Amino acid sequence: MRMNRHMGQATRTTKLLLDLGKRTQGGTNTSKRAYLEATVELLNAARAFYVAFFLAHADKLSERVSYFSEKHLEERERALSANELLTWAEFLTVETNEHPDPLRDWNFSRAFPDFPFLYRRAVIKDAIGKVKSYLSNLSNWHHSGKQKGKPGQPGASNHPTLYEGTFSLELDGLDQRESFVRLKIYTGERWAWVNYPVKYSRYFEQRRTELGWEQQSPKLVLRPKHAELHCSQVKAVKARKINESKQDPHLVTVAVDLNVKNLAVITARQDGAIIETVFVRDHGLDQHRYGHLKRIAQKQWLSGKPVKGEHSNRQLWGHVGRMNEEAAHKVSRSIANVCAKYPGCVLLFERLRKIPAKGGSKSRRMNRKRTNQLRGQINQHAKDKAYAQGTVTVEVNPHGTSQYCSRCGARGERFSSRGGKRIQAKWGKLFRCPVCHYEAHADFNASVNVHRSFYREWHWQPRKKPPPKAAKRSGGGDPLSPATGRGEEACGGTPR
Ligand SMILES: [Zn+2]
């Protein structure tokens, strides 16, 4: 059998915290922080210079040049590449010995003396990207004929990209506490190399050196209280196409049902049988988060208005956000680990439904919102992590996965058990089938149904003549919609 594989790219980001701590006390640390601020500010100003320059020479960005296409054996036209635009812009704005007279109104060398050329090239490239996307948005807007929504002028601020030559990571293999980055920074008076200790970890080292991942230029991200390098990596991924996978009679499918107490119920199926089940429980996350949100809601109620900016609330929100992010990474790691056991498997998610945030107290509603957010994060991170391993994700029709019997396909009921008594309840933890008398954990039953939906069994069989109205209501006739372009294009990063 000819293997029809397609190539894609997975990306991920690992954060490296710069140590601006008070360890050495005194002026050094505060000035180190000030240097970073001065650098970002100067780079923003230089970027603003080139954004203005390209806006003033917008015609150059749409200039076409002709070239001979080897592939088509004929003269063709194309736009100027970013490198050609960069060379052209430098020629007009930078003073050199061979070329002492740049445009009088656009003399970058005078406006920004001693500016390192690597940073200059970085800001020129940023400016090209910003102005190009602005012009294309503007042209789309003109064509749309709308009155409102005119695209705003491109801004100039960005997290600076640190290209080779503006930074270096100095690692002491023996004592990682001695690790630091050397950064070319602007002190407010001149450009200089300055060392910044980093909070280096084994985790970072393992990701940095992992086979198959290629380093990209990091970005310097300056936050109110700390500074980080965001180090991204890309990996070329070969994955089987979904249509190809479906031809495999022994295909393994890994299905995930996302819920509240059981954050995820993962089931693997092969040859029609469930071969593995993993319950990922929330270990009190929902309760813990609810407690915090209750406090926030109380404070808001006492003060009579949402106190978004208030210090302690901001800390609580930050804490809740980090809790979710951490849980999302843990759960998605468990999902990717199950996939890793079955090379060539397909990962199945339901198209995400929202658990309605309506009803109940304010803190309950806030908690529901966070739950939905967490489900979205788990879904995204799991797709990214699995894809980096060569596993493609498919999103299946979620209709009825929690209501139908995964054994015989009949409509069943949910119930919970209290003090030995069975109480029928819409959100009951257990599932019971009135036809075949199957009983199971409701989330497990739903997870097994995700496979059924993928294979279009029972309830999920394509209808012969779907009435047009019903087809519309259930969100389109095709229950098998491959995760949008996943695999074809780059996956989003998984910042950590
Ligand atoms: Zn049944």
Side-chain angles (χ1 to χ4, degrees):
M1 191 168 69
R2 199 173 64 91
M3 276 300 185
N4 182 7
R5 288 178 184 273
H6 62 167
M7 292 292 294
Q9 201 179 51
T11 65
R12 69 182 188 189
T13 304
T14 317
K15 294 173 188 172
L16 187 61
L17 203 62
L18 300 191
D19 191 352
L20 302 170
K22 300 256 150 56
R23 220 167 12 161
T24 43
Q25 289 301 331
T28 41
N29 281 310
T30 44
S31 62
K32 275 192 173 181
R33 162 89 205 176
Y35 295 166
L36 294 179
E37 279 165 7
T39 307
V40 168
E41 197 180 313
L42 191 64
L43 290 172
N44 283 345
R47 206 176 290 111
F49 176 99
Y50 279 108
V51 165
F53 173 80
F54 281 107
L55 284 174
H57 300 84
D59 48 338
K60 191 71 183 174
L61 293 176
S62 51
E63 191 176 300
R64 313 283 294 176
V65 287
S66 55
Y67 73 106
F68 185 78
S69 163
E70 296 288 340
K71 191 176 161 199
H72 302 93
L73 297 173
E74 62 178 17
E75 287 281 322
R76 294 212 156 190
E77 281 202 336
R78 61 168 176 82
L80 290 172
S81 72
N83 276 329
E84 287 167 328
L85 288 168
L86 179 131
T87 310
W88 170 81
E90 286 192 321
F91 185 77
L92 293 181
T93 57
V94 179
E95 252 179 63
T96 61
N97 288 336
E98 303 88 71
H99 179 67
D101 302 304
L103 294 178
R104 193 150 38 92
D105 294 338
W106 296 103
N107 190 330
F108 184 81
S109 307
R110 292 277 163 86
F112 296 87
D114 302 322
F115 202 85
F117 77 97
L118 286 164
Y119 277 134
R120 184 181 70 227
R121 290 189 176 164
V123 297
I124 293 176
K125 285 204 169 168
D126 287 350
I128 292 170
K130 280 172 181 284
V131 174
K132 264 190 176 170
S133 92
Y134 163 74
L135 292 174
S136 110
N137 290 343
L138 191 65
S139 135
N140 289 343
W141 178 76
H142 277 304
H143 284 116
S144 76
K146 284 181 193 156
Q147 299 290 310
K148 284 180 185 172
K150 185 177 181 181
Q153 292 267 322
S157 57
N158 234 8
H159 297 306
T161 305
L162 303 170
Y163 288 101
E164 198 78 47
T166 56
F167 93 106
S168 67
L169 193 51
E170 309 284 339
L171 307 173
D172 187 323
L174 293 174
D175 186 356
Q176 297 185 335
R177 283 166 301 177
E178 294 295 311
S179 300
F180 59 90
V181 282
R182 261 164 77 69
L183 294 179
K184 185 97 175 223
I185 50 91
Y186 186 65
T187 64
E189 286 160 0
R190 61 195 172 82
W191 287 91
W193 284 98
V194 175
N195 293 345
Y196 286 84
V198 289
K199 295 195 170 154
Y200 203 73
S201 67
R202 205 159 278 163
Y203 172 77
F204 186 91
E205 176 63 12
Q206 182 235 319
R207 303 236 314 174
R208 194 183 68 88
T209 53
E210 195 177 329
L211 275 180
W213 287 96
E214 188 192 316
Q215 315 290 328
Q216 304 285 92
S217 298
K219 280 189 183 303
L220 172 64
V221 176
L222 208 51
R223 304 268 186 224
K225 281 196 175 159
H226 60 275
E228 316 166 323
L229 293 188
H230 286 194
C231 304
S232 38
Q233 295 172 294
V234 296
K235 183 184 182 182
V237 173
K238 272 186 202 165
R240 205 155 55 154
K241 283 186 175 162
I242 292 299
N243 287 339
E244 189 80 21
S245 296
K246 277 183 164 170
Q247 308 295 314
D248 178 354
H250 305 294
L251 174 70
V252 176
T253 46
V254 175
V256 182
D257 177 69
L258 296 176
N259 258 293
V260 182
K261 294 287 177 198
N262 287 301
L263 289 176
V265 178
I266 311 163
T267 51
R269 172 178 147 169
Q270 188 176 34
D271 301 322
I274 297 300
I275 54 172
E276 184 176 357
T277 304
V278 178
F279 280 79
V280 187
R281 299 210 158 73
D282 88 329
H283 298 292
L285 171 74
D286 190 58
Q287 219 31 57
H288 182 162
R289 190 177 50 208
Y290 175 63
H292 283 308
L293 293 174
K294 220 157 115 183
R295 272 188 62 198
I296 293 176
Q298 271 164 0
K299 280 187 175 181
Q300 289 185 351
W301 184 79
L302 283 174
S303 67
K305 59 177 187 229
V307 274
K308 274 184 186 152
E310 205 228 331
H311 183 64
S312 53
N313 266 359
R314 207 163 56 208
Q315 275 185 334
L316 274 177
W317 279 120
H319 174 67
V320 167
R322 278 190 299 277
M323 251 167 42
N324 261 7
E325 190 61 23
E326 201 179 303
H329 274 290
K330 268 194 184 156
V331 178
S332 56
R333 178 38 59 205
S334 307
I335 295 168
N337 286 347
V338 173
C339 294
K341 286 198 226 166
Y342 309 105
C345 71
V346 173
L347 176 59
L348 309 177
F349 272 99
E350 296 179 310
R351 272 199 301 277
L352 282 185
R353 300 159 295 178
K354 278 189 177 166
I355 296 174
K358 291 181 289 186
S361 64
K362 175 155 193 193
S363 34
R364 283 219 187 274
R365 290 198 304 274
M366 291 201 294
N367 201 25
R368 284 286 154 263
K369 231 175 163 176
R370 297 282 137 173
T371 302
N372 285 330
Q373 190 187 52
L374 175 61
R375 284 148 51 89
Q377 284 170 323
I378 295 172
N379 181 295
Q380 191 56 53
H381 291 329
K383 277 181 197 165
D384 289 345
K385 287 182 165 84
Y387 188 65
Q389 301 169 175
T391 301
V392 175
T393 300
V394 173
E395 296 200 334
V396 305
N397 183 359
H399 189 260
T401 45
S402 60
Q403 290 144 43
Y404 288 85
C405 172
S406 66
R407 199 209 247 168
C408 76
R411 201 188 170 97
E413 56 201 22
R414 304 276 295 262
F415 68 98
S416 50
S417 174
R418 266 191 216 128
K421 279 196 174 172
R422 299 177 150 203
I423 303 154
Q424 202 176 327
K426 204 180 166 198
W427 296 106
K429 277 181 193 155
L430 300 162
F431 175 89
R432 174 172 54 198
C433 174
V435 177
C436 74
H437 305 294
Y438 175 63
E439 285 189 9
H441 195 291
D443 298 341
F444 171 77
N445 185 62
S447 183
V448 176
N449 275 335
V450 173
H451 299 276
R452 300 251 181 236
S453 177
F454 174 73
Y455 288 109
R456 300 185 182 207
E457 293 160 349
W458 296 331
H459 171 71
W460 297 275
Q461 272 173 36
R463 279 176 225 157
K464 295 244 164 69
K465 281 181 200 162
K469 264 186 189 169
K472 228 177 194 175
R473 210 178 39 227
S474 64
D478 186 8
L480 280 182
S481 71
T484 43
R486 207 101 307 237
E488 245 81 51
E489 43 185 287
C491 281
T494 53
R496 210 19 284 236

